[in-house]
Amino acid sequence: MKVHLALFSYGGISGHAFDCVLDELSRFTGEDEALFSRPIDDALISRSRSKVASQFLEGTCDVLFMLDHDIGFAPGDLIATCRKALDTGAMVGGLYALKTFGAGFSSRCAEKRGALVIGVDALVKATYLASGFMAAPRAALDTMLDKLSVASIDALLSHLRITKCVHAPGEEFYDFFRPVVAESTLTEGRSEYLSEDWAFSRKASACGIQPYVYLKPRLKHHGDFGFSVEDGGKR
């Protein structure tokens, strides 16, 4: 398995994430190989992710893995997620919390169920998958490009069209991660403005590619927290 590992770190990287990456890269042995990149030249994350996805398709790697600068993970989690994506042919990502107490998760699960058990080797269908810790196999991206970039695309899917764009002279890419508006899955008759990664999931689903949350990774979403005097007195 050959993995293109892209660490998105425009504006810096968490020390926790950096240590995890170094440890994981040392685990690529035998038949597993890693091509590492660190895109830092574009502040627009939808364009930055799109350019990396396009570069991946021009190469020879089997799986694209996107990691955000503030995600920490347990040893082996990254490789296991890549393997699961390659085996299933689906988009697979770990579950991590938003950086606010009690605010929920960065992905939206499609299945109604009780408390999720982290650390078990299980997949849960996702409506929208966060891409801060996500693996995408080559076959899935090829399918999206084949179905959503054609001139004869169905009118109902026209808002999901994948278009070849230019950024700098001589630099072309496909807008896999362009944000879109979609019918809300929470409130009937309303629309939601989807972030770049959720829009990517919507485009994948339209092509018959099921996004999955993988419960095995133990992820931490690192950030700053300003402790007040009141917080110091809490028990």
Side-chain angles (χ1 to χ4, degrees):
M1 176 179 66
K2 189 174 181 180
V3 176
H4 181 156
L5 167 54
L7 172 59
F8 292 84
S9 54
Y10 181 91
I13 179 173
S14 159
H16 301 283
F18 182 73
D19 289 344
C20 291
V21 168
L22 287 183
D23 179 84
E24 199 75 359
L25 286 175
S26 70
R27 296 172 183 272
F28 280 87
T29 58
E31 296 182 354
D32 293 332
E33 183 180 349
L35 170 66
F36 178 76
S37 68
R38 190 165 72 92
I40 58 173
D41 62 342
D42 198 335
L44 186 60
I45 188 62
S46 58
R47 187 169 57 207
S48 184
R49 292 197 195 281
S50 294
K51 289 192 294 186
V52 168
S54 301
Q55 291 163 6
F56 163 73
L57 287 180
E58 293 174 356
T60 60
C61 290
D62 306 303
V63 181
L64 170 62
F65 191 91
M66 293 190 170
L67 176 68
D68 281 359
H69 70 284
D70 52 3
I71 302 295
F73 51 96
D77 279 348
L78 191 155
I79 293 177
T81 303
C82 291
R83 183 83 59 196
K84 188 66 70 172
L86 190 59
D87 290 345
T88 61
M91 313 299 184
V92 178
L95 187 67
Y96 54 93
L98 295 169
K99 289 191 282 189
T100 305
F101 291 109
F105 312 106
S106 295
S107 296
R108 180 181 294 172
C109 293
E111 305 174 36
K112 293 184 178 180
R113 51 191 296 166
L116 297 172
V117 179
I118 299 300
V120 299
D121 188 4
L123 293 173
V124 176
K125 289 183 179 179
T127 301
Y128 298 125
L129 189 64
S131 55
F133 191 93
M134 183 194 75
R138 173 176 294 276
L141 287 171
D142 281 338
T143 297
M144 292 173 66
L145 200 57
D146 288 342
K147 292 189 175 183
L148 295 179
S149 67
V150 295
S152 59
I153 188 171
D154 189 295
L156 294 176
L157 299 178
S158 61
H159 67 297
L160 303 178
R161 182 187 300 276
I162 293 176
T163 304
K164 196 170 193 178
C165 305
V166 295
H167 181 209
E171 182 182 31
E172 297 183 334
F173 65 95
Y174 290 99
D175 61 342
F176 283 101
F177 286 85
R178 173 178 50 82
V180 300
V181 173
E183 182 179 349
S184 175
T185 62
L186 298 178
T187 306
E188 187 176 354
R190 303 300 296 271
S191 297
E192 293 183 67
Y193 182 91
L194 303 184
S195 58
E196 90 290 342
D197 47 2
W198 284 23
F200 180 72
S201 293
R202 178 69 188 90
K203 294 170 187 177
S205 297
C207 297
I209 302 165
Q210 174 64 55
Y212 287 101
V213 165
Y214 189 28
L215 297 181
K216 185 178 186 298
R218 297 181 180 273
L219 306 182
K220 291 187 177 181
H221 201 180
H222 294 280
D224 295 327
F225 179 73
F227 289 92
S228 66
V229 172
E230 291 78 13
D231 291 322
K234 292 179 181 177
R235 298 188 182 279

